[in-house]
Amino acid sequence: MKSLEIRLPGLELKNPIMPASGCFGFGREFSQFYDLSELGAIMIKATTPVPRFGNPTPRVAETSAGMLNAIGLQNPGLDKVIGEELPWLDSYDVPIIANIAGSQIDDYTEVARKISNAPNVKALELNISCPNVKEGGIAFGTDADVAKSVTRAVKEVSQVPVYVKLSPNVTNIVEIARAVEDGGADGLTMINTLLGMRLDLKTGKPILANGSGGLSGPAIKPVAIRMIHEVSQHVSIPIIGMGGITTVEDVIEFFYAGASAVAVGTANFVDPFICPKIIEELPAMLEKLGYDHISECTGRSWGKHEQIAYHRA
Amino acid sequence: MIKQEEMKVINQKEIAQSIYELTLEGELVSEMSQPGQFVHIKTGNGFEPLLRRPISISSINPGKKQFTMIYRAEGKGTELLSQKEIEKSVDVLGPMGNGFPLNEAAAGSDTVLLVGGGIGVPPLYELSKRLKEKGITATHVLGFQAKEHVFYEDEFTKLGETYIVTADGSYGSQGFVTDVIRDLPKDFTVIYACGPTPMLRALEIEYGHKKLFLSLEERMGCGIGACFACVCHTADDPTGSSYKKVCSDGPVFRSGEVVI
Ligand SMILES: Cc1cc2nc3c(=O)[nH]c(=O)nc-3n(C[C@H](O)[C@H](O)[C@H](O)COP(=O)(O)OP(=O)(O)OC[C@H]3O[C@@H](n4cnc5c(N)ncnc54)[C@H](O)[C@@H]3O)c2cc1C
Ligand SMILES: Cc1cc2nc3c(=O)[nH]c(=O)nc-3n(C[C@H](O)[C@H](O)[C@H](O)COP(=O)(O)O)c2cc1C
Ligand code: FES
């Protein structure tokens, strides 16, 4: 399937489809359904220096064509991820993108330094956009200067290319994107979840114990498309796109918007076979649309008139 | 092994107010091993509703490759499920989780009690049948809101002594399941329970020193252990980072294993 091979900083992808962080654990659960080596890459659950339990339950609430989550970055901690999860994943022929999080810059650099030494970790995904933790997370991703300095700090210690995961919960996402590019980011991943809330009909109180949570799923796809379309025309680093992908048509749309690869999140919960299904259907879709290679789709939505409009705005 | 299958609707009927009994047929049934496991159901096509719904397996008929579940139609998903007609198909992922451990009760030496509350009653039916096959006749205490919600009284009665209790007293005795259990003359050595969390908590307080197994309920994302939506603390580390996932480590836990 040559038409699907993609090269990005640190990553040689058999195909441009990968599960999104937090929606695939560390792969174990999905390995009972299919061979993980079929995937382009795997974005593992956010890893923090020490184990985290996360937020109280309920942690999820369904919405129209989407869901809210407030997991709160639960993970087994750096040592266990390096000692158990990554070696287990190493039995598969698939590059790992390690999602890293923390509540202060030192947390990010500690995780980055150690985890980037693991042989199968080919890139880092800097999570400065989690809406569900009190400190850190999104606080790093909503201020351009802070986003730039955390990117720079992680770049200094990482052995592998660094992708920065952008939050859509900002007024000017281009400004943040440019700042992290300046900070040395090798690529961007976007979008993380949108901050949202649902209230219980009987009690009038939030359904999520955390109050608010991150919105994901098909409902956010148009937001992701618009943001990727805009950001991709203002940076020169590649974008791994995500946000509501459930079909092969969605994948093409993300490429048109300006993505060079894509990740599938929430859809894995509904259909555990979604990633291999999309991978299988992609070549026929490319042929149908008249492309020899998936990369020809990247940025087809770009146009001079839009660029002018942005510069005026 | 968990499988995904479009299963065929064999029968669907309303057996009490808003309570439906649905029988499905397919290969997936051969994977069902323990009572107390559940399936994860896509109730509609497309994105409304988006997520699957967890529903317990109520009885299994491996010979016919059929299984039955009983559920209350209340929200969007279960309402849609109740509209599935015979011969139509339902997208099922399962079986999920670890059910009730049968080998914890021994014929001859153990007296066994099954306690169910509302839509927690269904998985106890397969459990009681399996216990019967082992030579154990269980006693059942089943709690419901009101008379019109009571279901499967005859089915349980055929398997063993059955006591019904309703919150409003409109059928059986009035009160909580724990009131009835206190008045029973027998001393039980093994208790299996499924129902609302307050009921499970009350049972744990009173009978936690016995062999007590509780089936928990939690809102789920994936249902397979990948998303950390359904996590609870372990009892030996109630504020730390140790955890169990209700979907894949449970839904059945031994009393004292997790914080409920
Ligand atoms: C392991 C397990 C076994 C279950 N077995 C049964 C059963 O045998 N019979 C039965 O009637 N019900 C059972 N339930 C409860 C059942 O899952 C909910 O009633 C159902 O999900 C409600 O969906 P809805 O579309 O009607 O409601 P909605 O309000 O539209 O649901 C919205 C969201 O909340 C979730 N949700 C709502 N109520 C519950 C609940 N009580 N528990 C977990 N998630 C909930 C839904 O799954 C969905 O994601 C079980 C739950 C669990 C966790
Ligand atoms: C349950 C859940 C957990 C998530 N956990 C993380 C996480 O740990 N780190 C992260 O960067 N993003 C996390 N995300 C965000 C996803 O990776 C993705 O950016 C987002 O859900 C949009 O994609 P989707 O609509 O396909 O799900 C999580 C999303 C969900 C639904
Ligand atoms: S529902 Fe996803 S881990 Fe249990």
Side-chain angles (χ1 to χ4, degrees), chain A residues 11-27:
Chain A
L11 302 165
E12 285 187 28
L13 308 176
K14 292 189 266 297
N15 63 69
I17 310 296
M18 61 192 86
S21 178
C23 302
F24 207 73
F26 295 90

Side-chain angles (χ1 to χ4, degrees), chain B residues 229-248:
Chain B
C230 65
V231 164
C232 51
H233 283 284
T234 57
D236 57 9
D237 184 21
T239 53
S241 63
S242 321
Y243 64 89
K244 295 276 178 188
K245 296 170 188 160
V246 172
C247 68
S248 54

Side-chain angles (χ1 to χ4, degrees), chain B residues 59-79:
Chain B
S59 61
I60 311 168
N61 186 336
K64 286 184 165 169
K65 295 188 174 167
Q66 294 177 359
F67 81 100
T68 298
M69 60 198 145
I70 297 166
Y71 64 93
R72 182 165 61 218
E74 48 179 1
K76 215 188 293 173
T78 48
E79 197 57 57

Side-chain angles (χ1 to χ4, degrees), chain A residues 125-168:
Chain A
E125 183 182 38
L126 196 52
N127 181 0
I128 53 168
S129 43
C130 179
N132 299 322
V133 289
K134 284 203 183 65
E135 307 145 359
I138 201 166
F140 289 99
T142 47
D143 180 301
D145 292 335
V146 180
K148 183 172 164 178
S149 36
V150 66
T151 305
R152 182 163 287 156
V154 168
K155 266 303 280 182
E156 264 167 30
V157 298
S158 176
Q159 306 293 319
V160 295
V162 175
Y163 291 69
V164 179
K165 187 157 184 178
L166 300 187
S167 170

